[in-house]
Amino acid sequence: KNGDDVTAQQYLHKALQNYEQGVGMEHPVIAEVSNLMGDSYLPTQQYEKALEEYQKALACFAPGYDVRAISALPEKSSLQLNSTLISGLENKSKALRARYSQSQNPEDLRLALSTLEFAAELVDSMRVVYVLEGSTHNSLRDHLGVYEEALALVKQLYDIRPDKALLETAFYMTERSKSLQLLAALREGNARKFSVVPDTVLQREKKLMVDLAYYESHAHKAGASQERWRAQAFAVKQSYDSLLKDIAL
């Protein structure tokens, strides 16, 4: 199997060279190949090499990002939002979590979790665009793993050292996952009905999803105001649930 991994790496390295010459270093296809290259190092527990490749993938979407700074995340304002970018963050987190099995350093787990928290913020941003554009393509469903993996990391860290902040993160990730699944259910289950749904209802659906993303984002970041933001997010989610039921009738 190791021989297969080496062969795959050779092919990917050659493909990477060809793509770099053809499209440059900041094209999404470079990120996809770099992600695959990183994946090829995981079975042989070459986590440092895997992380190097995942960092290269992230740099494709973040001009000026220092790929040598494993603990650093790209500046959100400079990012080109893309599903491949979120996949790269998921990959980086998995590699860091796997590295913990060797290092036994909880910092690897904390960095893995912060990477997924950042990925969750990007999913929020993409979701707002997704709703505003009225897309019926559920590519965001592919990133439900961000929340599932984050919850697994929270549990692992909490077992090492109980911390109230981890419980807050678990709550946030659980709510975001439910919200994304709700959006996916609406798009998948009711896309065929949209032609007979009044425009006023569709506009209300868009507004509720944007409001929900806004309130939930603030609920996670705010300090003393968290409960107020959560209450507002909960009220919007109830309204959205009600709208979903009405459209499904």
Side-chain angles (χ1 to χ4, degrees):
K1 187 173 181 179
N2 286 356
D4 292 339
D5 291 331
V6 171
T7 301
Q9 288 159 11
Q10 290 173 341
Y11 279 121
L12 288 169
H13 183 68
K14 182 63 176 176
L16 200 58
Q17 287 182 321
N18 291 336
Y19 282 128
E20 287 174 356
Q21 293 173 2
V23 299
M25 291 293 293
E26 295 182 357
H27 194 280
V29 72
I30 300 295
E32 292 174 5
V33 177
S34 294
N35 276 329
L36 290 172
M37 181 77 83
D39 292 346
S40 73
Y41 287 117
L42 295 181
T44 53
Q45 300 181 354
Q46 298 181 74
Y47 302 128
E48 300 302 325
K49 289 186 176 181
L51 285 167
E52 286 179 14
E53 296 300 329
Y54 295 144
Q55 288 289 90
K56 291 177 185 176
L58 295 180
C60 292
F61 305 101
Y65 178 55
D66 185 358
V67 298
R68 298 166 298 178
I70 300 295
S71 61
L73 291 167
E75 287 291 333
K76 187 176 178 181
S77 60
S78 66
L79 285 176
Q80 303 171 38
L81 290 181
N82 184 288
S83 286
T84 303
L85 165 63
I86 296 174
S87 295
L89 290 166
E90 292 181 80
N91 290 337
K92 178 178 178 178
S93 176
K94 289 177 182 177
L96 288 164
R97 189 180 183 191
R99 190 172 74 172
Y100 170 74
S101 64
Q102 292 179 341
S103 70
Q104 292 299 298
N105 182 356
E107 188 58 32
D108 281 339
L109 298 180
R110 284 191 283 269
L111 181 54
L113 181 57
S114 66
T115 300
L116 289 180
E117 288 179 303
F118 184 68
E121 290 183 24
L122 299 184
V123 172
D124 284 349
S125 298
M126 289 182 66
R127 181 173 61 168
V128 171
V129 174
Y130 176 92
V131 171
L132 290 175
E133 291 180 349
S135 173
T136 57
H137 178 61
N138 268 317
S139 59
L140 291 185
R141 182 185 277 279
D142 297 337
H143 299 301
L144 283 170
V146 168
Y147 308 107
E148 295 167 0
E149 183 69 13
L151 288 169
L153 280 164
V154 165
K155 183 181 184 305
Q156 195 171 357
L157 282 165
Y158 195 85
D159 288 342
I160 295 172
R161 183 180 178 182
D163 185 340
K164 183 180 178 181
L166 290 171
L167 299 180
E168 298 286 345
T169 300
F171 176 85
Y172 170 78
M173 291 295 176
T174 300
E175 290 302 303
R176 303 307 288 145
S177 177
K178 289 179 181 178
S179 180
L180 189 59
Q181 289 182 66
L182 182 62
L183 173 60
L186 177 63
R187 295 300 180 182
E188 290 174 354
N190 297 290
R192 64 182 181 277
K193 300 180 182 181
F194 275 8
S195 60
V196 296
V197 175
D199 287 342
T200 54
V201 176
L202 297 180
Q203 289 302 316
R204 176 164 171 72
E205 184 259 339
K206 289 182 180 181
K207 184 179 186 305
L208 285 171
M209 277 309 306
V210 172
D211 288 348
L212 184 59
Y214 176 76
Y215 290 137
E216 286 183 339
S217 177
H218 278 277
H220 181 59
K221 297 177 183 177
S225 303
Q226 271 189 337
E227 292 304 319
R228 177 170 63 86
W229 288 113
R230 282 181 179 171
Q232 290 175 304
F234 181 74
V236 172
K237 188 173 186 300
Q238 284 187 313
S239 296
Y240 194 85
D241 287 343
S242 177
L243 182 66
L244 176 62
K245 291 176 183 177
D246 290 341
I247 294 177
L249 293 178

